[in-house]
Structures are given as structure tokens and as C-alpha cells.
Amino acid sequence: MSRVLVGVKRVIDYAVKIRVKPDKSGVVTDGVKHSMNPFDEIAVEEAVRMKEKKLASEVIAVSCGPSQAQETLRTALAMGADRAIHVEVAGAEYDTLQPIHVAKILAKLSQDEKADLVIVGKQAIDDDSNQTAQMTAALLDWPQGTFASKIEKTDGALTITREIDGGLEVIKTKIPAVLSADLRLNEPRYATLPNIMKAKKKPLKKVSAKDLGVDLAPRIKVVSVEDPPVRQAGSIIPDVDTLVAKLKEGGHV
Amino acid sequence: QSTLVLAEHNNEVLSPATQNTLNAAKKIGGDVSVLVAGTKCGPAAESIAKANGISKVLVAESDVFKGFTAETLTPLILATQKQFKFTHILAPATAFGKTVLPRVAAKLDVSPITDIIGIKDANTFVRTIYAGNAILTLEAKDPIKVITVRGTAFPAEPLEGGSAAIDKAPEGDYKTDLVEFLKQELTKSDRPELTSAKNIVSGGRGLKSGDNFKLLYDLADKLNAAVGASRAAVDAGFVPNDLQIGQTGKIVAPDLYIAVGISGAIQHLAGMKDSKTIVAINKDPEAPIFQVSDYGLVADLFKAVPELTSKL
């Protein structure tokens, strides 16, 4: 049976319209609703289902970030993770924290915790990087099953259906492995109130990147964060005939 | 300064996004090489060697590259990098490029840069964050830049006018027992591919069911268009995920984009707002899609779409 490590990121809630800071240094995060990265919810759900099917012995949720990352970890615990590890990263270090740093943290924790599987979301909806699973797998020299839409576990191997550009692809990987969850892998459950209460009592350990020997030196300098160019709205047209005329005018038909 | 472009292909034909990536490589400046790895990828290598401004095409042919897995391509790219010491390694920001390059970057201990839409200079790149709601310009500090390129943000380099030398890529044991490629099931379609189509008809939750997408296919037939969908339509189970247009799906920029029954969520707009002409058909006059559309038609799609199809 496998021990599963799941990476969860606290991000600005997907329903929030983000605002760029006037000094172009980043986006406004203070006082803005945050929640678990939706792709990471799918990763947690998959790990918890593995445990429910007795394919996994334990699910450990990991989050890197400031103290509020613990709220995201509590959500993972309420969904069914057994325990949590908060890797505290705050201030300027958090501003330049990137997948390369997180991958190093996840790789180290996988070894320390003797994990057999690492599952993360395919990308976070804030930086849209889509790198963490691939990099964690590389650092561990494990196979990677990215953009997974179906995961089947057999003895010592995984059969993974992956979402690719023109359709689907099926690969078989050895275990241990690193997986990234795509949209259609599952539908994450909501944490129920009793489970939220129970989650408060589950163990949550705090460590620092330094404890893990991971260097968080920034790899990029943010030059600017700006609003995207606004597309000029055109006109509302009265009927289909006008639309046909416009399409002809534009040389589209 | 020198750049390696990792070509995406099916052994025979290059993906269009590879031609866009080549353009980005030329923008960075300096020497450009291309790596073509596959099982029998001679035709793909010969095809890209015809592009202008490439100094060499490196070819690696072996059965181990079946399925183009990251686990076999990574040691090949690392061996190539060790020999030629490129300053930049580029691939298209497709499922393929996004799968392989971060693995390479981790081995080189550099932070990869995903999905760039612009190049300021050899160290400074532009990309979108928050599903296109903010534009990040960043300066990369790592000595080697590992980058995936958004195809729609760069013009395609034509595959003509040049004759680059074709050489062998460094040889080595690239076999792995970590992963085995089993099969690929590409969605069969007589239609143009979404990411390279000139015209796209796209449907959202307003279609109400997968069966109703037939309305869009009929319209697409008239326009020789590809058919796409919003994430909401995919989430609702109407269509498979490979039709998804948006930040978590495909990024498209056709000449004509017709959005049908799509409200225009931020994540969808990020995937299509660079289209040249946008038409929106939606019964809700308040739908955000009308804020980006050139021609908006406030109408019941179940009446307007068949009418449009019949009048084209």
C-alpha cells in the first residue's frame, strides 16, 4: 500500500476578479478571498479515494506558504487527508517562491516521509506555471504522469490516461511516481461540517525550507505586473442577416 | 548566445506550434539549432531543415522515443545541452512541451518559464498569469533559460528558403524502465485542428447538452471551422476536454471565432481573446463575452444558429 503526498496551494479564489497593484509590483492579495487551487482539490480527492479503496495507507497534505496556508491544509484534512505538513515560507521569499523551490521541498519530503506517490494539480490558477509535478519527478528520478484523467493502480504499476492536445494517451509507470491531476480525473467532494471539525484535531506539523535544506533564492526578478490590453467591444447587431453581411464584409465567408 | 528548439512532431509532420516556436527562437537572437527526436523522424527533420535561419538540425532516431515520453527525451536533451552549451532551450507550450521541458529544467537546476507571449531581450520575457488577467514581465536569473512558447503569440516561420545541415544528436542510452507508452487515442475529426484552424465555432453551457453541439457542427461545416468549447461545457460533460478553449485548455487565435452560448468567463477569454474577429451569440445581453466581441447578437442560439447556418 502506498503513502501518498499531496501538494496543495493557497491561491486567490477562482471567482475573484484580481486587481493589479498601482505600482505594478504584483496583484492585490490583502483582504482578498483565497481558497485551495482547484486542480489541487482534484489531487486531494484522488488521494483520498485511493485510501478509501485501500490502495493507499496514508494521505499527507503539504503546503508551502505563509501561516494562512494552514487554512488550505485544514481543508485538505477535512476532505480526508490524514495529516499535514506546513512548510512556512513568508514575506519576500514567498513573493519569489516558484515551482522549482516547491518541487525541491516536495522531493525532500517524499523521501523523508517515504512516500510512494506524489499528486499535485496540473497547474495553479495564479501563476499558471504547470511545472511542479514534472520537476518533482525529475528531482526524484521517478516517472511522471502529467495531466492525468484516469489513474488505475495495479501491483507495482500505474496505468495513467493523460489529457493531451488531440485527445488521450495511456502510459504505464512504475511506482513510485509523481502525478498531476487534470480536470476530468474526478469531482472533488465538499468538506462536511463534521469533517471540518474532525480536521481541526488532525496532526499538522510546521517546518521551514531551511529545515529541509532547500535554498529559496529567487530565480527571477519581477519587472512588472500589468493589466492586459483591453479589447474594444464592437457593436451589438440586430439580426442574423446583419451578421451574415458583416462576415461577408470581413471576408470570412 | 545560442538556442535549441525542441521540435514537436509525429515523426512525419511538424506541429504548427513548432514553427511559431522557431520564430520566438529567432527573436531571441543568436544561433538556432533544432532537435528532432522520434522513432523514424527523418521526414520531420527534413521538413524543419527547410526553414530559414537554422544553423543545424540534430536528429535522434530510436525506438526508445516511442510516445515521446519526458523520461526518455530528458537525458537526450541533457546530453545535447552538455555538448553544445545552449543559452536557451525552447519548446512549444503544448501538452508535449509542458510535459518535457520542466523535467529538463529541474535536471539543469533552472526555473522554467512557461507559455511566454513576448520577448523583451535575451533574459526578459512576458507571460500571462491569473488566466490572462495580468501580464507579468520577468527577468530570468538562471544561466540557461528553459522556455515554453505560446504559439498564438508568435507568427509561424515558413518551412522554405533554408537548408540547414542535418546532424546526429549525441548518442547515448536513453532507454528507461520508468514508463511505458501504451497508446494514443486522438479524437478523430475531418475538421481542422483547433490550434491551427482559421475559423472556430465554440459552444458553452448555453448549448444545454452534448447532442445540441450538432448545431455547431452544422455551422462549422459551412465555415470549414474547428469546433471548440468553454470549460463550463466540458465540466458539464457535454464534450471531451480536448475541445476546451481557455487558460486550462487550448489557447487559440483564429481569424474568426464564433462563441455560442458562452458567457465569457475570464478563463475562457484568456484562451480566445487574441482572435481577429469575435462573434458572440448569447441571449443574455449582460454576458461578459459581449465586452470582447466585435459583433454581438443577443438572441436565442437555438433559433439564431440554424438561421445563420442556412443563410451562409
Side-chain angles (χ1 to χ4, degrees), chain A:
Chain A
M1 286 224 287
S2 305
R3 183 172 287 127
V4 187
L5 205 72
V6 188
V8 295
K9 185 176 187 182
R10 176 179 178 266
V11 297
I12 294 179
D13 188 87
Y14 72 95
V16 171
K17 173 106 178 86
I18 61 128
R19 281 183 301 131
V20 168
K21 286 183 187 167
D23 68 358
K24 297 184 179 179
S25 65
V27 303
V28 178
T29 53
D30 285 348
V32 173
K33 187 188 175 197
H34 283 66
S35 50
M36 189 190 294
N37 175 39
F39 286 103
D40 295 342
E41 287 184 354
I42 301 173
V44 173
E45 177 67 34
E46 193 66 15
V48 170
R49 286 188 192 184
M50 280 183 183
K51 181 162 182 204
E52 287 166 348
K53 287 185 216 154
K54 312 227 178 294
L55 296 169
S57 55
E58 189 181 29
V59 177
I60 308 166
V62 180
S63 189
C64 308
S67 54
Q68 297 96 317
Q70 293 191 7
E71 296 160 18
T72 307
L73 286 170
R74 290 291 172 201
T75 305
L77 293 171
M79 287 175 73
D82 298 294
R83 59 189 170 96
I85 302 173
H86 173 212
V87 183
E88 191 167 41
V89 182
E93 275 187 332
Y94 184 62
D95 291 338
T96 55
L97 188 75
Q98 286 193 283
I100 187 170
H101 307 115
V102 175
K104 287 181 179 186
I105 289 167
L106 291 178
K108 179 68 168 58
L109 284 173
S110 303
Q111 288 169 326
D112 292 354
E113 301 290 340
K114 298 188 171 51
D116 309 288
L117 285 178
V118 178
I119 313 180
V120 296
K122 78 161 173 179
Q123 71 190 69
I125 61 164
D126 50 4
D127 62 23
D128 294 324
S129 285
N130 192 331
Q131 300 167 352
T132 302
Q134 297 89 313
M135 298 185 88
T136 307
L139 296 169
L140 291 163
D141 274 317
W142 290 1
Q144 61 185 53
T146 45
F147 323 147
S149 63
K150 193 174 174 191
I151 300 168
E152 290 161 295
K153 191 164 178 275
T154 46
D155 283 343
L158 295 168
T159 303
I160 300 160
T161 305
R162 305 180 55 227
E163 307 256 1
I164 55 168
D165 289 330
L168 298 171
E169 176 178 296
V170 184
I171 59 169
K172 193 171 170 185
T173 74
K174 281 200 163 173
I175 297 173
V178 182
L179 311 174
S180 78
D182 212 325
L183 194 59
R184 286 147 79 97
L185 183 58
N186 59 50
E187 273 185 46
R189 71 194 66 191
Y190 291 102
T192 59
L193 193 59
N195 286 339
I196 292 170
M197 299 312 287
K198 265 189 236 163
K200 290 183 179 166
K201 291 189 183 119
K202 288 185 179 177
L204 188 154
K205 181 169 85 176
K206 194 165 100 175
V207 297
S208 73
K210 208 175 154 198
D211 296 336
L212 301 170
V214 175
D215 176 12
L216 298 183
R219 302 305 190 95
I220 61 162
K221 192 179 114 193
V222 172
V223 176
S224 66
V225 175
E226 295 174 67
D227 284 312
V230 180
R231 198 184 162 107
Q232 284 296 321
S235 50
I236 295 292
I237 47 171
D239 51 33
V240 170
D241 289 326
T242 314
L243 176 56
V244 173
K246 293 286 184 193
L247 291 179
K248 282 184 178 154
E249 243 171 67
H252 296 294
V253 288

Side-chain angles (χ1 to χ4, degrees), chain B residues 6 22 37 143 150 216 241 253:
Chain B
L6 175 64
L22 205 50
R150 180 174 296 182
L216 303 191
N241 193 33

Side-chain angles (χ1 to χ4, degrees), chain B residues 147 185 222:
Chain B
I147 296 167
E185 286 166 7
K222 285 280 178 80

Side-chain angles (χ1 to χ4, degrees), chain B residues 186-197:
Chain B
L186 299 183
T187 310
K188 284 204 183 76
S189 174
D190 303 331
R191 298 172 188 287
E193 242 229 306
L194 261 181
T195 44
S196 53

